Amino acid sequence: MSRLLLRMFFVFALPALLVAGWWVASDSSTDVYWPPLRTIVETFPDVWTADRLKDDVLPSVLRLTGGYALAAVVGVALGTVIGSYRRVRAVCEPVLEFLRAVPPPVLVPVIMLFAGIGDTMKVTVIASGCVWPILLNTVEGVRAVDPVMAETARSYGITGTAWLRNVVLRSASPQIFAGLRQALSIGIILMVISEMFAASNGLGFTIVQFQRSFAIPDMWTGILLLGLLGFLLSVVFQLVERRVLGWYHGLRASTRRSP
């Protein structure tokens, strides 16, 4: 219990110190672009009412979920194929390195030409940026499958779907989840960027509208809400990861305890 309390202290200590520092540093601010944190907190409940959360935050979360899920499916599927076959990997790697080097925000005008300006464009933009860390980590995870474990599975006649599910994907799952974790932060960034182009709702659209109308405290509340959303999604992801990779974390813990 004491270790858990100590861990919780370190988890919340730095955010608490940062908030306290922000509060003190901005308390006497008269700069219109740098309002006191006290003003931002007081403005928050007036701006983000239940109706605005439904009209702006919920669409953003749905777009992020759609793009992230699409990137996860495509990234894991392609990464498994590329990582499993050396010749496919040799052919695809130069193309993948080129495409990965292109910043996703640059592709927004191009994607708009093909997907229009609706939710399809925004989901595509999010997926186009999230797919790369998932795909590349999946490739590396599949390539790193233990040869001894692979030969043992073959000797027991494990092939086909059972081989893919119980050997390849299970062995690569820590790497896959590392890619999914990286993709989540990228997805949040691209969610905001995509909503700054030809949008009529969403967090990114609302924050830009506040900025253009010089409602600076309202704009800061949107930024604060975006940070809280990112933190909440990170906590949910960690809970899912702990559950799915329980065997992996248990193995690492037992290895550390062994003499």
Side-chain angles (χ1 to χ4, degrees):
M1 181 62 70
S2 59
R3 292 184 61 183
L4 178 61
L5 292 176
L6 184 62
R7 184 176 180 181
M8 295 292 290
F9 171 77
F10 283 115
V11 166
F12 291 102
L14 181 58
L17 287 174
L18 291 176
V19 170
W22 185 5
W23 188 288
V24 172
S26 65
D27 190 54
S28 59
S29 174
T30 57
D31 189 341
V32 66
Y33 300 111
W34 179 250
L37 180 58
R38 179 185 64 256
T39 303
I40 298 172
V41 172
E42 292 172 352
T43 306
F44 193 98
D46 297 329
V47 175
W48 299 104
T49 61
D51 289 337
R52 188 180 287 277
L53 290 174
K54 182 182 70 175
D55 295 338
D56 289 315
V57 178
L58 182 59
S60 294
V61 173
L62 292 177
R63 291 163 187 154
L64 174 61
T65 303
Y68 186 76
L70 178 61
V73 172
V74 173
V76 172
L78 287 180
T80 302
V81 173
I82 295 171
S84 299
Y85 301 99
R86 184 177 303 175
R87 292 182 179 178
V88 175
R89 188 164 62 247
V91 172
C92 292
E93 273 188 347
V95 179
L96 294 178
E97 291 298 330
F98 171 78
L99 293 175
R100 185 183 65 163
V102 179
V106 176
L107 298 176
V108 173
V110 179
I111 295 174
M112 288 175 65
L113 293 176
F114 297 97
I117 60 174
D119 288 343
T120 302
M121 178 272 288
K122 298 171 180 60
V123 170
T124 304
V125 169
I126 295 170
S128 67
C130 292
V131 71
W132 300 113
I134 300 172
L135 190 152
L136 296 174
N137 275 276
T138 302
V139 170
E140 293 304 316
V142 172
R143 289 181 60 186
V145 173
D146 187 356
V148 175
M149 183 175 62
E151 289 299 326
T152 303
R154 287 194 183 96
S155 67
Y156 279 97
I158 301 176
T159 58
T161 305
W163 161 265
L164 179 64
R165 184 179 65 253
N166 297 319
V167 178
V168 177
L169 291 180
R170 187 174 178 85
S171 177
S173 56
Q175 281 284 90
I176 294 173
F177 268 87
L180 290 170
R181 189 185 305 111
Q182 296 172 22
L184 182 60
S185 58
I186 295 174
I188 295 172
I189 295 170
L190 292 177
M191 176 194 74
V192 175
I193 292 175
S194 67
E195 291 174 346
M196 292 179 176
F197 292 86
S200 58
N201 60 9
L203 261 173
F205 168 79
T206 305
I207 291 172
V208 170
Q209 290 300 109
F210 287 151
Q211 183 264 334
R212 289 174 178 172
S213 60
F214 290 95
I216 303 303
D218 295 7
M219 180 194 73
W220 277 102
T221 63
I223 296 172
L224 187 62
L225 178 60
L226 189 60
L228 293 174
L229 177 63
F231 174 76
L232 177 62
L233 292 175
S234 177
V235 171
V236 172
F237 180 87
Q238 289 181 20
L239 293 175
V240 173
E241 182 186 29
R242 282 282 175 184
R243 184 172 183 83
V244 175
L245 297 182
W247 63 272
Y248 175 72
H249 295 297
L251 181 62
R252 291 186 61 187
S254 63
T255 302
R256 286 195 298 265
R257 287 195 299 266
S258 62

